Amino acid sequence: MEKMVRFMKAFLFVLMFIVGISFMTLYPVHAQIPELKIGIGIDADTLNPQEQTTTLVQNMCDLIYDTLFYQTPDGKLEPRLATGYKASKDGLSYTITLQKGVKFSDGTPFDAKAVKLTLDRALDPKLRVPLRFAIAMIKEVKVIDDHTLQIDLKYPFAPFVPTLSLTICSPISPAAIEKYGEEVRQNPVGAGPYILKEWVKGDRIVMVRNENYYGKKPTVARLTFKIIPETATREAMLRTGQIDVCYKPLPSNVASLKADPNVTVEMPLSTRTIFMGLNYQKGVTQNKLVRQAFNYAVDKRAICSKILFDTAVPMNGPVSSILFGYHKMAHQYEYNPEKAKELLKKANFDFSKTVNMRTPQGRYLFDQQVSEAVQAYLQAIGVKTELRTYDWPTYVAGLLKPIQETELEVFLLGWGPLILDADMGLYGQFHSSTNPPKGLGAAHYNNPEYDKLMDASRLEQDPKKRLEILKKASEMVWDDCPWIWLHVEKFVIAYSKKIKGMVVTSTEKFYPTYIRME
Amino acid sequence: MDSSKPQRSLIWIKFKRNRAALFGSFLILIYLAVALLAPVLFPGNPSAPNLMKSLERPSLKHPLGTDELGRSILGRILYGSRISLLIAIGVVCVGLLVGVPLGLISGYYGGKIDFVIQRVTDTLLAFPGFLLALALVAVLGVGLKNTIVSVGISMVPIYIRLVRGCTLGVREQTYVEAARAMGTRNGIILIRHILPNVLTPITIQTSLGMGTAILFAAGLGFLGIGVQPPTPEWGAMLGSGRAYLFNAPHVATFPGIAIFLAVLGFNLSGDGLRDILDPRFK
Amino acid sequence: MFQYVLKRLLSTLPVLIGISLLLFFMLRMLPGDPAQVLAGQMASQEDIQSIRQQLGFDKPIFVQFGLFLSRLIRFDLGRSARTQNPVLEEIGSRLPNTVLLAVAAITLACLFGIPAGIISAVRRYTWIDYLFTSMALFGISMPVFWLGLMLVVVFSVLLKWLPAGGTGSFKHIILPSFTLAAFVVAFITRMTRASMMEALSQDYITTARSKGLKEQMVIIKHALKNALIPIITVVGLQFGLLLGGAVLTETVFAWPGMGRLIVDSILARDYPVIQGAILIFGLLYILVNLVVDLIYAYIDPRIRYDGRK
């Protein structure tokens, strides 16, 4: 009997093995997917990757151009158009080696000159490159030979190689630039897995597979991005099978989408944190006790579950937990209105004063509702508040005023690092050099000790030591509370259950290049 | 021309006979009562959220349900009547204060000043009114005061047109000419003789204008550029209810009904007044 | 006739110049910097300055206005600050949608409003008159955006018959055009009713009746013909109202038309597009009124092209 069982087990194993093998051999035949329809909310404005700030359109650019390196969802670096790198000891010079034998989709050979041209354009002050600040450390790009490049930096910058994975550094075909000039934004030519086939303004963007792609052959022959501005319509079309992928469904409908047996909902944690900035240098929030009290006063968990329908999680450190350099803080500001009141009393808080709050509207998920909730929590501990909403242009203009002119007291803002490294969060918001008008560190956090730590972190080449420094910095700013630490958003994407192998990243991008359909 | 007593009572009798107008004034009365008595009808703060009770369906405790922040929709609608009434009155005041004098001057004096005022009016009327209000709010910034000013200005050209037209008709009447011959100053003629005679169309337009004002302001609120949160403005309530149309449609439904009833009240009364006072539509 | 049209068109020039003047300076008063918006929230001051230069926003405002006018004369509305596409192209892709929506709504409104008005006038003070007049009143008292949302709840969410928004098929236009029509139908019904009532009380109607003509003939051939002028005027005037209502309707139904373009452009401080779009709106409005005037002359030969009765 026992023998029998053992035999059966062995037999089953062999059977499964055979079935598995035959599936794997059959699989490439089945893997050819004629078309994937993706429902998106907005049309692209420009497909020049250097002009682009919208993540969704950068995502499209990535499919057309490909990047030098690629940062996997778990933060590892993979070579793409670049094959490797070597950093100099002082961290001021990087040697990058490139793929050989690659051609852009128009047949132009891909080489070091093309990459230099691309990066020089990104640095050219005459061209509109909104994200230029992200590569501002580059001093000079030198061609060593056809497939080797040397990049010199103005100052050491530890996360430099991840920076090269940004869409803004995607090589553009020099022939296309020559031919189209700035109209390259309408006529993108890169070395990526897809080629732009058709662009009907306000309706659809169609890409077809690049048959000469240097990498593995993409499984989807044709990608159709269908523009459907109304989110509810997009969701309905996914349910009825008119589209295969629904980009960013409404948080309030995520639960019902998840319940649908034909739909997969993925929502990885994003890099974007949403917070209430507290003016560190002016007004009532100058007092650290007041800032801490405000943190205790707000029930962030309730905001995440009730207003955002669990498409966000409360912050438990000063950056998103998926970033390199994140540390969960030992002390948490749990919801505790009594403690908040106590702290205010200790700070001799003037309860007769009205605190000004401001919020953008429609910029982040339910931003106005989040602000209204925070306002109510502050009022609950006796703080008089007045909340004002602004449209985005007016709002940004208000944020960027220098400390002498600023009227900011308490304000909602979001910040989403483009690479999976804490630097853009911890440096980009809290280093005093980013105080407005120079940067958007609108809380005007100014702590010389913190600045020293962050400067040191950029110099540090040893990842372990760098982690230590970033931890110290995190703890310092966490204790100082220049923000009410609210939440980290999730990137929500829903697609047909048939699709397997979709790559969805924390930088709010998705790559259907090698999906399978079942 | 003084309205004598018998004439007034005649109007009242006609008004009472006009059922639509009566119903309209009934709606306005309720609306005024709600605005006045909101704190009595709904004790407590209508803007105080309770996240644990968000998006609840209508129940005994919250007859119209709760919104996304757990606030009673009934309470917010009751308090919202004060906001919309304030807007309606404010807007009509702006329209009257600017439009009536300009219309009178334009119609009475004629000539160059008339030409200039009319070209400006033409220009403003070529904008769809709502777009004009929208553009103005974008310039002035959001908020209750700016909403009133923007919507008010967008209505000014209508008053100018109306008053000018009536003034042109009255200007040539014998009693005006008599007054002029007697050497009465123009300002006095305008106020004593012409203004009372253009009051009727102004009254009708004002009643209809209150309705339009509420609609325009709600439209701005719906687009998110009206009054500031957490002010319970009906249009803004509707706008934020839009995100929950699929799982909590009541959030967007009830504020719309409130707007509808208030506007209907002003429109019915305005129509009734026109039927009674304007002989052309008898 | 040709001369008349030309004269009318020329006389609209001051209005158009007025609109552009007003718009231009009003837009420059908007808070917020378009260069900042374009540059993105993380851009450096140098980048913002360079964008400002590229767009010409660094020049004195009167120079900017001069440039704007000189381009306008060449029918060049400039390029969108946001997408860098020519403004005319941006408008070109949206305008047909709005015109389609407006025409569909006006047609629907006339199909309901004119018969309803006639019936109301003929059967005045009966239940059917009250029904139609109160329906018309409901139409103008209802916020368009609310009506739109309620239609979405009923027909898209509950019944799942019609799409909740977007474009693409005949089905897509049903809800938005119905919403917009409800807004205009009231004016058409009321004007038809009033002018039909006036026409029916005229002497020639009595004459026609006394000649023993069928009542239907009397109503349609004699009364309606005379009542048409005020009705057409109202339809023409409604066009402006319709364009305003389109802003909200297009927002509710995600209809890619001019209204949304204007709202989006205001929110993004895309000056060239706002200017261009509103100018085109104004021009459309003027053209519609011109067409209305021409129809007058066609219907009623007593009206001459010099525009006086």
Side-chain angles (χ1 to χ4, degrees):
Chain A
M1 196 60 202
E2 217 173 276
K3 255 188 188 172
M4 190 68 175
V5 173
R6 221 180 287 164
F7 174 74
M8 282 296 283
K9 271 189 185 164
F11 178 74
L12 268 176
F13 179 74
V14 171
L15 191 76
M16 273 166 67
F17 188 76
I18 292 169
V19 171
I21 291 277
S22 51
F23 255 105
M24 274 151 103
T25 44
L26 281 173
Y27 150 64
V29 184
H30 285 288
Q32 289 310 306
I33 300 158
E35 187 179 21
L36 189 77
K37 292 189 192 126
I38 302 158
I40 55 175
I42 49 156
D43 196 358
D45 43 5
T46 157
L47 285 175
N48 175 349
Q50 305 188 334
E51 291 179 337
Q52 200 40 256
T53 54
T54 310
T55 314
L56 171 62
V57 190
Q58 286 177 351
N59 201 157
M60 293 181 194
C61 289
D62 289 352
L63 290 166
I64 294 173
Y65 292 95
D66 222 349
T67 47
L68 290 168
F69 290 92
Y70 168 68
Q71 215 171 11
T72 60
D74 52 1
K76 283 197 198 89
L77 265 186
E78 266 180 13
R80 277 285 169 90
L81 282 167
T83 51
Y85 70 93
K86 238 175 90 187
S88 68
K89 272 224 173 101
D90 57 4
L92 280 170
S93 178
Y94 284 77
T95 310
I96 313 281
T97 49
L98 303 175
Q99 294 267 6
K100 285 177 188 151
V102 175
K103 282 193 168 134
F104 287 104
S105 61
D106 62 354
T108 317
F110 165 79
D111 56 14
K113 267 188 269 168
V115 179
K116 177 177 163 58
L117 179 73
T118 299
L119 290 176
D120 283 351
R121 276 174 65 85
L123 293 167
D124 183 351
K126 280 192 230 94
L127 298 176
R128 170 154 76 99
V129 183
L131 298 180
R132 184 173 290 132
F133 75 94
I135 53 163
M137 71 297 283
I138 298 181
K139 190 168 119 197
E140 204 188 349
V141 183
K142 293 177 194 153
V143 175
I144 303 291
D145 61 45
D146 271 3
H147 298 99
T148 316
L149 215 58
Q150 186 188 324
I151 303 179
D152 293 341
L153 304 190
K154 292 176 197 152
Y155 45 85
F157 185 71
F160 177 66
V161 183
T163 301
L164 290 178
S165 72
L166 289 175
T167 306
I168 176 181
C169 300
S170 304
I172 307 172
S173 158
I177 292 174
E178 180 116 341
K179 186 170 163 197
Y180 300 113
E182 288 321 303
E183 289 311 309
V184 80
R185 60 171 73 98
Q186 310 283 340
N187 304 283
V189 181
Y194 286 91
I195 302 170
L196 178 71
K197 167 91 180 177
E198 189 189 16
W199 183 356
V200 183
K201 291 274 160 65
D203 187 58
R204 63 184 184 275
I205 294 173
V206 183
M207 297 178 192
V208 292
R209 181 165 50 200
N210 177 1
E211 298 299 342
N212 299 317
Y213 182 50
Y214 70 93
K216 210 174 99 194
K217 190 178 172 189
T219 52
V220 187
R222 189 183 174 93
L223 297 176
T224 303
F225 292 88
K226 187 99 187 84
I227 298 148
I228 310 152
E230 189 62 20
T231 324
T233 315
R234 225 152 60 218
E235 291 163 15
M237 286 174 80
L238 173 67
R239 284 165 187 253
T240 53
Q242 287 165 278
I243 52 171
D244 307 301
V245 181
C246 169
Y247 185 76
K248 288 197 179 174
L250 271 180
S252 44
N253 295 341
V254 163
S256 69
L257 275 175
K258 272 186 172 168
D260 192 318
N262 301 319
V263 173
T264 305
V265 179
E266 264 199 78
M267 31 195 243
L269 204 58
S270 160
T271 60
R272 183 183 286 133
T273 48
I274 302 292
F275 55 88
M276 277 279 167
L278 305 171
N279 194 332
Y280 186 84
Q281 296 186 36
K282 240 180 167 177
V284 289
T285 48
Q286 269 180 83
N287 190 327
K288 180 171 166 181
L289 291 174
V290 173
R291 294 195 304 268
Q292 289 181 336
F294 283 7
N295 263 290
Y296 284 114
V298 177
D299 188 350
K300 297 132 191 164
R301 256 172 245 284
I303 290 178
C304 288
S305 70
K306 289 296 178 174
I307 297 179
L308 298 159
F309 301 91
D310 292 319
T311 59
V313 294
M315 290 176 80
N316 54 18
V319 289
S320 165
S321 63
I322 54 163
L323 299 186
F324 174 87
Y326 155 84
H327 289 277
K328 184 175 175 179
M329 295 292 106
H331 173 77
Q332 292 293 327
Y333 299 95
E334 295 291 348
Y335 176 51
N336 189 344
E338 289 315 308
K339 181 153 189 181
K341 280 184 208 162
E342 233 170 76
L343 283 171
L344 286 185
K345 212 182 278 168
K346 217 163 137 193
N348 283 325
F349 188 79
D350 179 3
F351 287 96
S352 66
K353 244 189 122 191
T354 303
V355 176
N356 288 314
M357 294 179 68
R358 34 174 91 190
T359 181
Q361 196 182 35
R363 178 82 186 177
Y364 311 107
L365 287 175
F366 296 115
D367 41 15
Q368 185 202 317
Q369 281 85 349
V370 170
S371 299
E372 281 186 65
V374 172
Q375 178 188 30
Y377 283 121
L378 293 183
Q379 276 168 345
I381 58 165
V383 178
K384 273 196 207 153
T385 56
E386 194 191 284
L387 177 65
R388 290 185 68 83
T389 58
Y390 294 87
D391 60 34
W392 186 244
T394 318
Y395 195 70
V396 175
L399 291 178
L400 282 169
K401 285 189 182 147
I403 188 72
Q404 297 81 14
E405 296 165 28
T406 190
E407 292 159 12
L408 291 179
E409 292 195 298
V410 179
F411 58 95
L412 184 115
L413 198 63
W415 191 253
L418 305 169
I419 52 173
L420 303 180
D421 191 285
D423 186 82
M424 209 184 273
L426 293 177
Y427 194 98
Q429 275 289 320
F430 303 126
H431 192 278
S432 64
S433 69
T434 66
N435 287 357
K438 275 179 281 175
L440 206 68
H444 290 274
Y445 183 59
N446 190 333
N447 180 344
E449 256 181 82
Y450 181 86
D451 286 358
K452 259 186 233 156
L453 279 175
M454 284 315 295
D455 290 336
S457 86
R458 285 194 160 181
L459 289 168
E460 186 56 64
Q461 295 284 321
D462 178 5
K464 266 195 197 145
K465 283 185 195 156
R466 203 170 150 244
L467 273 178
E468 268 316 298
I469 302 173
L470 291 174
K471 186 177 179 196
K472 258 193 208 157
S474 297
E475 280 162 350
M476 192 179 284
V477 72
W478 185 255
D479 183 57
D480 273 336
C481 288
W483 295 354
I484 300 178
W485 313 100
L486 291 179
H487 51 263
V488 184
E489 287 187 344
K490 289 177 183 174
F491 167 48
V492 187
I493 186 164
Y495 50 84
S496 157
K497 200 130 223 166
K498 285 188 219 145
I499 299 174
K500 304 285 167 191
M502 176 82 84
V503 177
V504 181
T505 76
S506 291
T507 41
E508 307 202 352
K509 288 179 181 174
F510 66 99
Y511 300 101
T513 324
Y514 299 114
I515 56 166
R516 301 183 306 279
M517 283 274 210
E518 281 169 6
Chain B
M1 210 169 59
D2 277 322
S3 331
S4 54
K5 263 186 188 160
Q7 205 181 346
R8 261 191 210 160
S9 58
L10 189 70
I11 290 172
W12 176 236
I13 288 166
K14 276 188 188 164
F15 193 79
K16 271 202 290 194
R17 236 188 268 149
N18 188 328
R19 264 180 279 169
L22 265 187
F23 181 61
S25 18
F26 174 68
L27 283 177
I28 296 179
L29 271 181
I30 293 186
Y31 175 53
L32 291 176
V34 165
L36 262 169
L37 300 176
V40 183
L41 294 169
F42 187 85
N45 182 357
S47 298
N50 181 354
L51 287 190
M52 293 307 144
K53 294 212 155 74
S54 66
L55 298 178
E56 280 181 8
R57 311 233 149 198
S59 63
L60 268 181
K61 191 152 181 264
H62 301 289
L64 303 183
T66 60
D67 69 1
E68 72 276 14
L69 294 174
R71 300 173 294 205
S72 164
I73 292 178
L74 177 67
R76 288 177 68 72
I77 286 182
L78 293 179
Y79 273 87
S81 63
R82 304 185 140 193
I83 307 298
S84 71
L85 186 66
L86 196 67
I87 292 175
I89 293 175
V91 164
V92 167
C93 284
V94 172
L96 286 175
L97 286 177
V98 184
V100 173
L102 284 177
L104 282 174
I105 290 168
S106 181
Y108 183 74
Y109 290 100
K112 264 187 206 152
I113 191 157
D114 180 37
F115 181 82
V116 171
I117 292 176
Q118 286 318 302
R119 290 297 80 74
V120 174
T121 314
D122 277 347
T123 308
L124 289 176
L125 279 175
F127 284 99
F130 183 72
L131 266 186
L132 185 61
L134 186 85
L136 281 169
V137 161
V139 173
L140 297 172
V142 292
L144 183 63
K145 201 177 66 195
N146 291 338
T147 301
I148 292 175
V149 172
S150 310
V151 179
I153 292 178
S154 76
M155 300 213 161
V156 164
I158 301 172
Y159 283 100
I160 296 183
R161 265 290 145 80
L162 185 76
V163 174
R164 174 178 178 266
C166 299
T167 311
L168 281 178
V170 179
R171 190 174 65 173
E172 309 303 329
Q173 300 284 329
T174 36
Y175 59 88
V176 176
E177 279 178 11
R180 217 180 283 144
M182 276 158 61
T184 319
R185 272 192 302 163
N186 282 333
I188 293 177
I189 294 180
L190 272 176
I191 292 168
R192 284 241 182 98
H193 301 286
I194 295 187
L195 189 60
N197 283 294
V198 297
L199 271 183
T200 306
I202 291 178
T203 315
I204 296 169
Q205 181 55 42
T206 301
S207 180
L208 297 172
M210 301 264 279
T212 315
I214 295 175
L215 277 182
F216 273 25
L220 293 177
F222 176 73
L223 291 176
I225 47 179
V227 299
Q228 289 299 309
T231 317
E233 197 273 317
W234 291 340
M237 289 168 69
L238 227 168
S240 58
R242 220 182 130 200
Y244 315 100
L245 216 51
F246 285 70
N247 40 11
H250 66 271
V251 182
T253 307
F254 295 119
I257 295 178
I259 302 173
F260 170 61
L261 289 178
V263 178
L264 186 67
F266 285 112
N267 281 343
L268 282 173
S269 313
D271 266 13
L273 278 177
R274 171 156 50 198
D275 282 350
I276 295 156
L277 299 175
D278 193 335
R280 274 182 301 155
F281 287 92
K282 245 180 213 168
Chain C
M1 160 105 185
F2 177 74
Q3 260 187 335
Y4 169 69
V5 173
L6 201 72
K7 227 167 89 185
R8 274 291 308 262
L9 282 178
L10 280 179
S11 73
T12 60
L13 265 181
V15 174
L16 279 180
I17 292 175
I19 294 177
S20 44
L21 198 81
L22 197 76
L23 257 177
F24 190 89
F25 289 100
M26 211 163 94
L27 286 178
R28 270 23 180 218
M29 278 152 54
L30 282 174
D33 180 350
Q36 173 69 52
V37 178
L38 275 177
Q41 55 168 303
M42 303 182 209
S44 70
Q45 285 301 303
E46 295 81 53
D47 284 340
I48 296 171
Q49 189 52 38
S50 97
I51 289 176
R52 207 172 282 142
Q53 272 167 13
Q54 281 171 45
L55 298 175
F57 291 153
D58 58 332
K59 299 193 177 78
I61 184 154
F62 289 101
V63 177
Q64 286 185 47
F65 186 64
L67 284 172
F68 170 70
L69 273 188
S70 75
R71 275 196 318 235
L72 194 63
I73 292 166
R74 287 173 274 139
F75 292 105
D76 175 7
L77 293 174
R79 275 167 184 269
S80 156
R82 201 165 28 148
T83 64
Q84 295 294 317
N85 291 326
V87 170
L88 274 177
E89 202 177 283
E90 294 276 326
I91 294 174
S93 67
R94 310 290 193 106
L95 190 63
N97 286 330
T98 293
V99 171
L100 181 69
L101 183 62
V103 170
I106 283 270
T107 314
L108 258 178
C110 289
L111 281 181
F112 177 80
I114 295 181
I118 297 175
I119 294 170
S120 282
V122 176
R123 304 243 175 284
R124 79 185 71 162
Y125 307 131
T126 62
W127 64 272
I128 197 158
D129 176 23
Y130 287 127
L131 180 75
F132 283 145
T133 33
S134 43
M135 269 172 81
L137 252 164
F138 281 23
I140 35 170
S141 305
M142 216 163 341
V144 255
F145 42 97
W146 181 69
L147 177 65
L149 290 180
M150 292 301 113
L151 289 175
V152 168
V153 169
V154 175
F155 292 100
S156 307
V157 181
L158 296 177
L159 297 172
K160 300 193 177 15
W161 285 353
L162 295 167
T167 50
S169 74
F170 174 70
K171 270 186 166 181
H172 285 93
I173 201 173
I174 298 177
L175 289 185
S177 60
F178 190 83
T179 307
L180 204 50
F183 184 54
V184 216
V185 78
F187 296 94
I188 296 179
T189 310
R190 294 163 89 185
M191 194 37 97
T192 310
R193 179 174 179 268
S195 53
M196 275 300 280
M197 270 159 76
E198 203 181 317
L200 283 172
S201 66
Q202 301 291 324
D203 293 339
Y204 57 84
I205 295 290
T206 327
T207 323
R209 278 190 184 132
S210 62
K211 275 198 273 179
L213 281 178
K214 264 194 195 159
E215 184 67 15
Q216 274 167 345
M217 275 295 272
V218 173
I219 292 166
I220 290 172
K221 218 176 157 196
H222 295 268
L224 184 59
K225 204 179 155 197
N226 283 286
L228 262 183
I229 288 182
I231 296 173
I232 290 167
T233 314
V234 159
V235 173
L237 283 177
Q238 286 325 301
F239 201 76
L241 203 64
L242 207 71
L243 293 177
V247 175
L248 290 163
T249 313
E250 286 175 4
T251 305
V252 172
F253 292 103
W255 186 262
M258 296 281 283
R260 263 179 72 94
L261 181 69
I262 292 179
V263 175
D264 290 349
S265 306
I266 287 180
L267 293 181
R269 300 291 182 274
D270 195 342
Y271 296 158
V273 175
I274 313 175
Q275 276 162 359
I278 293 193
L279 262 181
I280 298 275
F281 253 28
L283 196 66
L284 254 180
Y285 186 63
I286 290 164
L287 281 180
V288 167
N289 281 310
L290 178 65
V291 171
V292 166
D293 279 358
L294 292 178
I295 295 176
Y296 278 0
Y298 177 75
I299 293 177
D300 187 349
R302 281 172 302 175
I303 300 174
R304 295 253 190 73
Y305 289 125
D306 63 8
R308 259 176 284 151
K309 259 195 189 178

